[in-house]
């Protein structure tokens, strides 16, 4: 007969058995100690001492079980060492229970067997039916959602040519992405200078620094004393300035002055940078220095270079004439929740599109200001609700509005006849319905700036298109009809280029990431 094999016990199981044995021994010791320090109760005295005793047969009784008694109530001080050890044992037991609950289960789990109890979660397996076939929803760095096969399979020749042209943009090669760090902290806003002679990019970070980069510069070889070493390339020339004390949320370039760059910030101010003089001037801030008015976006009507419009995190929209004092600015309360972004129609600048935490896109008309006191505001033309917060609303010059929202949709609204609207005319529910909805992962987190679509303001080819960051570390390019034109990528992009911008006229695209670095496609 073969010898019986001994059962092999794992180190974890051996340790667990030792703990159980030690705990049992300690509990026995505590019980013995308690029996020594707690006195036995004295027998009760007889109330009838003089009565004659009657001899009776002894009654068989069950032994009295020991009951727990408090040493404190008995007036007996406990031994500190014993109590300390008892507390350690109890802590060890609880630790073992917690460890057992967190232990990983390596086998298969049947969802029908592990359903969480409670009416709130009683959907069970039936609740998963609608999710089948959706695939992975989260970000997948480097995994394309638009491929060369999509371009090759395009039947429409015009669309295919446009896709080939936009997809042909190449990542800037003079320096790697890692070398072009525009600002110290996470990029929150960007802008292209409108000049067509060379790409000049502005970026603002979350702590108020502004970086400027001229992409036309050429690397210079730096000679080394060691003749055997290959000469290295010089670092790119980047200028950075701390022009605000908090996050820079928006840039705007004056339609009438090529040297003027406007910036807005959560520090409640709007500043004008004179590129020629190298001076940054505050052009708006609340008259009361203690008033907090975090500015989320700015825009300027093309018809009036002295007027600036701004939105705030307090749900207000402001209009300020730069030739007057800040105290004269008109500020209207549009919503109780923050306005994350807004824009003016490039050709009909009296039309304002706002995106808000209240989950709406709203169109307002600045030609008609109505109401009195705190209720005074531009006429509301129409509104459209989304399931979750709307992050930004961007007008195209042809009358489209593109929005991004946390319901994982890019929505495109079409208002081709906006120039014919009469002042304050209400829009129907049908008119406010999106013409196209594009599935798009907009679930940014703490280290990724909110994704916001940005139109090419005055496209040379007349074709309306916009860019938006992609959580898989690309920049997406879409046409006004919702067709994807390109998905821009390149070597060295190790973070999401969340803040994406189109040059106003040229097919140049910039993307900024959470490390303050620039990706540029030309």
């Amino acid at each position: 007969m073969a010898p019986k094999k001994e059962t092999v016990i794992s180190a974890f199981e051996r340790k667990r058995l030792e703990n159980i044995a030690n705990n049992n021994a300690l509990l026995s010791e505590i019980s013995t100690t308690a029996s020594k320090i707690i006195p036995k109760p004295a027998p009760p005295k007889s109330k009838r001492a003089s009565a004659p005793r009657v001899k009776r047969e002894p009654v068989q009784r069950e032994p009295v079980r020991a009951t727990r008694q408090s040493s404190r109530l008995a007036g007996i001080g406990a031994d500190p060492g014993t109590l300390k050890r008892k507390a350690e044992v109890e802590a060890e037991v609880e630790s073992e229970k917690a460890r057992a609950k967190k232990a990983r289960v390596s086998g298969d789990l049947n969802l029908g067997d592990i359903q969480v109890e409670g009416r709130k979660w009683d959907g069970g397996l039936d609740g998963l039916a609608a999710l089948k076939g959706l695939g992975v929803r989260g970000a997948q760095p480097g995994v394309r959602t638009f491929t060369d096969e999509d371009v090759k399979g395009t039947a429409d020749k015009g669309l295919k040519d446009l896709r080939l042209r936009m997809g042909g943009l190449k990542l800037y090669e003079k320096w790697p992405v890692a070398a072009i760090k525009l600002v110290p902290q996470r990029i929150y806003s960007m802008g292209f200078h409108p000049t067509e002679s060379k790409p000049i990019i502005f970026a603002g970070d979350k702590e108020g620094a502004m970086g400027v980069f001229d992409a036309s510069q050429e690397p210079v070889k730096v000679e080394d004393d060691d003749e055997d070493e290959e000469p290295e390339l010089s670092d790119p020339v980047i200028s950075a300035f701390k022009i605000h004390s908090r996050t820079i949320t928006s840039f705007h370039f004056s339609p009438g002055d090529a040297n003027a760059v406007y910036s807005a910030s959560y520090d409640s101010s709007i500043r004008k940078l004179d590129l020629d003089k190298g001076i940054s001037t505050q052009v708006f801030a609340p008259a009361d220095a203690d008033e907090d008015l975090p500015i989320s976006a700015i825009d300027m009507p093309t018809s009036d270079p002295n007027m600036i419009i701004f939105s705030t995190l307090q749900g207000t929209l402001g209009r300020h004439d730069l030739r007057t004092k800040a105290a004269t600015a008109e500020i209207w309360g549009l919503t109780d929740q923050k306005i994350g972004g807004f824009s003016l129609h490039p050709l009909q600048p009296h039309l304002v599109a706002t995106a808000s935490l209240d989950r709406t896109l709203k169109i307002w008309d600045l030609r008609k200001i109505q109401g009195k006191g705190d209720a005074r505001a531009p006429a509301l033309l129409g509104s459209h609700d989304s399931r979750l917060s709307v992050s930004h609303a961007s007008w195209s010059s042809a009358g489209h509005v593109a929005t991004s929202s946390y319901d994982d949709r890019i929505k495109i609204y079409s208002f081709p006849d906006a120039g014919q609207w009469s002042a304050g005319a209400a829009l129907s529910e049908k008119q406010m319905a999106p013409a196209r909805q594009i599935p798009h992962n907009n679930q940014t987190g703490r280290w990724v700036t909110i994704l916001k679509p940005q139109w090419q303001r005055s496209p040379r080819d007349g074709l309306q298109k916009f860019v938006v960051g992609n959580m898989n570390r690309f920049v997406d390019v879409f046409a006004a009809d919702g067709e994807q034109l390109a998905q821009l990528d390149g070597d060295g992009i190790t973070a999401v280029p969340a803040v994406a911008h189109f040059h106003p006229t040229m097919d140049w695209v910039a993307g900024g990431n959470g490390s303050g670095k620039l990706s540029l496609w030309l």
Side-chain angles (χ1 to χ4, degrees):
M1 184 175 179
K4 186 176 181 180
K5 294 183 179 179
E6 295 183 359
T7 304
V8 178
I9 301 177
S10 66
F12 175 80
E13 181 66 14
R14 185 182 300 108
K15 182 65 176 176
R16 189 179 72 84
L17 294 175
E18 290 177 0
N19 288 337
I20 291 173
N22 292 337
N23 293 343
N24 289 336
L26 188 59
L27 290 173
S28 177
E29 177 186 342
I30 293 172
S31 177
T32 302
T33 303
S35 65
K36 292 179 179 179
I37 61 177
I38 298 175
K40 295 181 180 180
K45 294 182 178 180
S46 175
K47 293 182 179 180
R48 297 181 180 180
S50 58
R53 294 183 178 180
V54 179
K55 187 176 180 181
R56 298 178 179 177
E57 294 294 328
V59 179
Q60 298 294 325
R61 302 179 183 275
E62 293 184 1
V64 179
R65 297 181 181 178
T67 57
R68 295 180 62 186
Q69 299 186 37
S70 169
S71 299
R72 179 181 62 81
L73 294 178
I76 302 173
D79 176 51
T82 302
L83 293 179
K84 180 180 178 181
R85 181 57 182 155
K86 180 181 179 182
E88 291 175 351
V89 171
E90 292 175 347
E92 178 67 19
V93 171
E94 292 302 318
S95 177
E96 286 293 332
K97 291 180 180 178
R99 189 180 297 114
K101 288 182 178 180
K102 295 180 180 180
R104 181 177 66 248
V105 179
S106 58
D108 294 339
L109 297 175
N110 188 318
L111 298 187
D113 298 334
I114 57 173
Q115 181 177 332
V116 176
E117 296 180 359
R119 189 169 60 182
K120 184 183 293 186
W121 305 285
D122 63 2
L125 294 176
D126 292 338
L128 301 182
L131 305 182
K132 292 182 179 179
L134 293 183
V136 179
R137 175 178 174 273
Q140 296 177 279
V143 177
R144 282 184 167 276
T145 54
F146 182 77
T147 67
D148 292 340
E149 295 302 317
D150 294 312
V151 178
K152 292 177 182 178
T154 306
D156 185 287
K157 185 179 184 304
L159 176 59
K160 185 173 184 178
D161 290 344
L162 183 56
R163 282 177 165 173
L164 288 171
R165 177 158 59 85
M166 296 308 304
L169 297 180
K170 299 296 182 184
L171 187 66
Y172 186 71
E173 296 179 341
K174 294 180 181 180
W175 283 277
V177 172
I180 313 175
K181 186 174 175 64
L182 297 189
V183 283
Q185 302 297 326
R186 172 164 60 94
I187 292 178
Y188 199 93
S189 57
M190 293 188 75
F192 264 107
H193 191 280
T195 181
E196 297 179 351
S197 62
K198 54 186 176 181
I200 300 177
I201 301 96
F202 289 73
D205 77 3
K206 67 187 295 289
E207 293 188 355
M210 178 190 70
V212 187
F213 176 64
D214 177 359
S216 69
Q217 61 183 283
E218 296 291 338
V220 178
K221 290 185 177 181
V222 180
E223 298 294 339
D224 194 278
D225 294 337
D226 190 343
E227 296 181 357
D228 296 332
E229 294 290 333
E230 288 289 333
E232 296 182 355
L233 295 179
S234 60
D235 292 330
V237 176
I238 300 171
S239 301
F241 312 93
K242 188 77 162 55
I243 61 172
H244 288 279
S245 61
R246 293 175 63 188
T247 301
I248 297 177
T249 57
S250 185
F251 287 104
H252 190 80
F253 300 88
S254 171
D257 183 359
N259 286 318
V261 181
Y262 293 89
S263 60
S265 170
Y266 286 161
D267 67 8
S268 306
S269 73
I270 301 173
R271 304 189 69 87
K272 175 186 176 182
L273 171 64
D274 189 318
L275 296 175
D276 186 40
K277 297 179 180 179
I279 297 176
S280 173
T281 305
Q282 180 175 286
V283 296
F284 174 80
D288 183 351
D290 294 329
E291 182 180 351
D292 189 26
L293 192 69
I295 299 173
S296 57
I298 54 173
D299 204 347
M300 299 179 75
T302 52
S303 57
D304 189 349
N306 294 309
M307 192 68 67
I308 195 161
I309 312 295
F310 58 90
S311 60
T312 76
L313 296 187
Q314 296 175 347
T316 58
L317 187 74
R319 181 168 63 182
H320 175 56
D321 189 328
L322 297 173
R323 296 165 296 188
T324 64
K325 294 182 179 180
T328 65
E330 298 176 274
I331 299 180
W332 308 294
L334 304 186
T335 174
D336 293 333
Q337 301 188 49
K338 78 172 184 179
I339 297 175
F342 86 99
S343 65
L344 305 178
H345 190 307
L347 302 183
Q348 312 295 332
H350 54 273
L351 297 177
V352 183
T354 61
S356 174
L357 187 62
D358 67 6
R359 307 179 181 184
T360 64
L361 159 72
K362 291 179 179 177
I363 307 294
W364 309 82
D365 193 338
L366 296 178
R367 294 174 299 180
K368 186 175 182 180
I369 308 299
Q370 53 194 18
K372 295 182 180 180
D374 293 340
R376 185 173 169 79
L380 175 61
L381 304 186
S383 176
H384 182 264
D385 295 341
S386 289
R387 188 173 60 85
L388 295 174
S389 170
V390 185
S391 304
H392 187 56
S394 179
W395 274 106
S396 79
S397 57
H400 307 91
V401 175
T403 65
S404 55
S405 54
Y406 273 95
D407 60 4
D408 287 337
R409 292 289 186 272
I410 300 290
K411 300 182 182 72
I412 302 175
Y413 303 77
S414 183
F415 306 105
D417 59 345
Q420 302 171 14
W421 295 345
S422 58
L427 301 176
S428 67
E429 184 177 340
K430 183 178 180 181
Q431 286 176 293
M432 287 302 301
R436 183 70 186 273
Q437 298 193 47
I438 307 167
H440 196 270
N441 182 4
N442 299 324
Q443 300 300 316
T444 59
R446 182 179 179 184
W447 308 112
V448 179
T449 303
I450 295 171
L451 305 182
K452 298 181 177 182
Q454 301 287 350
W455 291 93
Q456 189 174 29
R457 201 170 182 89
S458 304
R460 273 186 167 186
D461 56 12
L463 300 173
Q464 303 298 320
K465 43 194 177 294
F466 66 87
V467 292
V468 64
N470 183 302
M471 288 296 289
N472 289 9
R473 299 180 184 173
F474 303 104
V475 168
D476 291 330
V477 186
F478 291 98
D481 61 2
E483 293 287 354
Q484 184 153 5
L485 303 179
Q487 193 161 80
L488 305 178
D489 66 350
D491 294 335
I493 300 177
T494 58
V496 178
V499 185
H501 267 260
F502 237 129
H503 185 274
T505 57
M506 307 293 287
D507 287 342
W508 299 338
V509 175
N513 68 25
S515 300
K517 294 169 184 172
L518 170 72
S519 302
L520 178 63
W521 292 268
L522 305 173

